Amino acid sequence: MMKLLFSPVVVTAFSLAGSLLAGYRLRNDGNTVVLIDEFRNCSLKNETECEPTTKHHVLAGKTFEFEKKPGREYRFNLVEGASKKTLRIASQ
């Protein structure tokens, strides 16, 4: 299981037993809203093959999940108050 820890946000990889469903989960353990800005889901082979860019607000105590697809790269800006981190997760 991949685990990236950003206080108070935790990003983990998951799979459900007995299911083909696998993905990534971002959990907000803080007490304010976290913003996932410019969320991009693109092909690793062709950077121009992307799904539309989205923005997600993760409330305190809630999670944001996205499916892990082979050959895809997920990029987004994680905004926690005044702090902004650029993240990239590649799915082989």
Side-chain angles (χ1 to χ4, degrees), residues 26 36-39 66 75-78 85-87 89:
L26 185 145
I36 299 171
D37 197 16
E38 298 180 30
F39 182 84
F66 53 100
R75 295 181 302 239
F76 55 93
N77 295 317
L78 180 64
K85 299 176 186 110
T86 300
L87 298 177
I89 301 171

Side-chain angles (χ1 to χ4, degrees), residues 11-31:
V11 179
T12 57
F14 72 92
S15 61
L16 300 178
S19 170
L20 297 177
L21 179 64
Y24 298 101
R25 176 181 296 134
L26 185 145
R27 187 178 72 240
N28 181 358
D29 284 339
N31 59 2

Side-chain angles (χ1 to χ4, degrees), residues 1-82:
M1 174 185 286
M2 178 192 79
K3 192 169 191 176
L4 304 171
L5 179 61
F6 303 99
S7 179
V9 175
V10 179
V11 179
T12 57
F14 72 92
S15 61
L16 300 178
S19 170
L20 297 177
L21 179 64
Y24 298 101
R25 176 181 296 134
L26 185 145
R27 187 178 72 240
N28 181 358
D29 284 339
N31 59 2
T32 62
V33 176
V34 171
L35 177 64
I36 299 171
D37 197 16
E38 298 180 30
F39 182 84
R40 297 186 55 91
N41 174 351
C42 299
S43 170
L44 283 172
K45 294 181 182 177
N46 181 1
E47 281 194 26
T48 61
E49 183 187 309
C50 298
E51 293 183 9
T53 302
T54 58
K55 180 184 288 194
H56 305 273
H57 295 83
V58 184
L59 302 176
K62 300 296 182 184
T63 60
F64 168 69
E65 297 177 355
F66 53 100
E67 186 178 352
K68 179 180 178 180
K69 297 178 185 174
R72 303 299 287 180
E73 175 183 64
Y74 308 95
R75 295 181 302 239
F76 55 93
N77 295 317
L78 180 64
V79 182
E80 301 176 75

